Amino acid sequence: MSLSAHCGVIVEAMIQPLRSNPALAQYLQVGVVDEAGGYQALTDTKQALQAMDAARRAKQVQEASKTAQAPQL
């Protein structure tokens, strides 16, 4: 599946006929995909994870500066 910010909602329906009488439906399956919403959710998640990773790295640098020994030249 591919998502795009330029697409809208997609609705798909499938009717499964009875084996004994194909003129009758056994069940109906319906699926809905909001491509633009899904794309936005993925983009937001990616940005949040990148921000969390940057914060983690900055914290590691800060902690290392407090506990690491300075090099002797």
Side-chain angles (χ1 to χ4, degrees), residues 8-69:
V9 177
I10 296 173
V11 178
E12 179 181 42
M14 185 176 80
I15 299 171
Q16 182 66 37
L18 282 172
R19 289 184 185 180
S20 60
N21 186 348
L24 298 174
Q26 181 175 355
Y27 60 85
L28 169 70
Q29 290 180 318
V30 178
V32 178
V33 176
D34 177 4
E35 286 194 26
Y39 182 83
Q40 187 63 48
L42 288 174
T43 301
D44 292 347
T45 301
K46 180 180 176 181
Q47 289 175 350
L49 290 173
Q50 288 173 337
M52 289 170 52
D53 189 48
R56 177 190 57 80
R57 286 184 276 128
K59 183 177 178 183
Q60 287 177 336
V61 170
Q62 184 181 25
E63 289 174 0
S65 69
K66 292 178 184 176
T67 59
Q69 293 180 355

